[in-house]
Amino acid sequence: MPAGSDGAAGIALVISDVDGTLVTGDKRLTAATVAAVGRLRAAGIGFSIASARPPVGLRSLVAALGLDLPMGAFNGASVVRPDLSTIAERTIPEPAAREALARLLAAGLDVWVFAEGAWCLRDPQGPYTDLERRTIDAEPRVVADLGTLMGAASKLVGVSRDHAHLADCEPRIAAALADRATVHRSQKYYLDVTPPHLDKGQFVTWMSGHLGIPPERIATFGDAGNDRPMFANSGFSVAMGNAEDGVKAAARAVTDSNDADGFAHAIERLILP
């Protein structure tokens, strides 16, 4: 359904993914996006974010957008306040984390571990490390043996420049871990492993209860497979123009790409009265 067709009435809360949705490909918030969030606030509509990023990677967004509601980090496994203090937090059960690490490495992927408040890896010059530095505004911690972190891992990420290979890895690793961990690609080059039974959809449900806003009055925005649970748990969903076809098919509406101010256009055409 193209942007500008059927809008959503009575929306009281908007929850958006960040990378590939709220920010451009080079990780910028455009003036139009900042203005759109301001217009939501002026209309009395709440705004929050749900992201695969660690909490520290949300700090710059809080300042730029004036965020004042809880946010979901690590695909919803951690819920934090705007000052990044923790409301709720889960880690991956250690046996599942160890198996995930072994399977990611066996697949020939670079592996990152987010644990103990740090981004940990073995090769600080590996694929996409420069992008991640810009994204979360933090330097990695070099750890020779990532296995030492498996008792405290909030997220593991398999990283590869071979996007087709990573897409092939996703269903195999997800099936192997079954209900012991949640496995989704957050970008075509990142395969995330996070705590079981927690995803962005669960964050939408948590926000619904926390704020007393029924799900049908919540709108969600996203571009990747890990955003589909948000779509399923909200009354109105918008996929970005840069999303894969399966993500677009799961949404109620499709807007322009993240590099063409798709978020701002959809807020204007579909959400605001």
Side-chain angles (χ1 to χ4, degrees):
M1 178 185 305
S5 52
D6 294 334
I11 293 299
L13 174 67
V14 172
I15 300 176
S16 178
D17 168 55
V18 176
D19 298 292
T21 302
L22 198 65
V23 299
T24 61
D26 59 358
K27 308 300 179 180
R28 292 182 300 105
L29 282 170
T30 68
T33 294
V34 174
V37 173
R39 290 198 63 204
L40 288 173
R41 183 177 297 109
I45 299 172
F47 179 76
S48 184
I49 51 182
S51 176
R53 292 186 184 191
V56 67
L58 306 179
R59 177 178 287 123
S60 63
L61 300 169
V62 173
L65 299 173
L67 302 184
D68 57 4
L69 293 176
M71 304 175 293
F74 294 134
N75 291 326
S78 292
V79 180
V80 298
R81 301 178 181 89
D83 65 2
L84 305 189
S85 60
T86 300
I87 296 174
E89 182 178 43
R90 284 265 302 278
T91 57
I92 306 167
E94 185 171 351
R98 290 194 178 280
E99 181 173 349
L101 176 63
R103 289 183 178 276
L104 293 171
L105 291 173
L109 307 176
D110 279 60
V111 179
W112 302 343
V113 179
F114 290 86
E116 301 171 349
W119 165 34
C120 306
L121 43 64
R122 296 187 300 177
D123 179 7
Q125 305 305 321
Y128 297 103
T129 51
D130 285 347
L131 177 63
E132 189 71 3
R133 285 181 176 91
R134 295 198 306 273
T135 299
I136 68 172
D137 193 24
E139 284 293 320
R141 177 194 298 171
V142 177
V143 177
D145 181 5
L146 296 176
T148 61
L149 301 170
M150 293 303 97
S154 296
K155 181 174 76 165
L156 278 71
V157 186
V159 184
S160 178
R161 296 193 189 280
D162 186 340
H163 304 160
H165 174 56
L166 200 65
D168 289 340
C169 289
E170 181 178 10
R172 289 189 288 104
I173 293 176
L177 293 172
D179 62 351
R180 295 177 295 142
T182 301
V183 180
H184 286 296
R185 279 179 299 152
S186 58
Q187 299 290 332
K188 58 187 176 182
Y189 38 81
Y190 292 158
L191 179 59
D192 294 347
V193 181
T194 50
H197 313 302
L198 291 172
D199 54 30
K200 293 184 181 183
Q202 295 301 313
F203 175 70
V204 172
T205 299
W206 186 91
M207 286 290 281
S208 174
H210 179 70
L211 298 176
I213 297 173
E216 58 267 24
R217 298 191 65 197
I218 299 176
T220 53
F221 285 70
D223 75 303
N226 64 334
D227 297 315
R228 292 177 66 170
M230 281 203 303
F231 294 175
N233 287 15
S234 59
F236 192 76
S237 51
V238 182
M240 304 302 292
N242 48 289
E244 295 179 355
D245 289 344
V247 177
K248 291 178 180 177
R252 288 277 304 279
V254 178
T255 186
D256 302 309
S257 76
N258 62 319
D259 284 323
D261 280 325
F263 173 84
H265 293 164
I267 293 297
E268 177 71 24
R269 298 170 185 168
L270 300 173
I271 305 300
L272 290 173

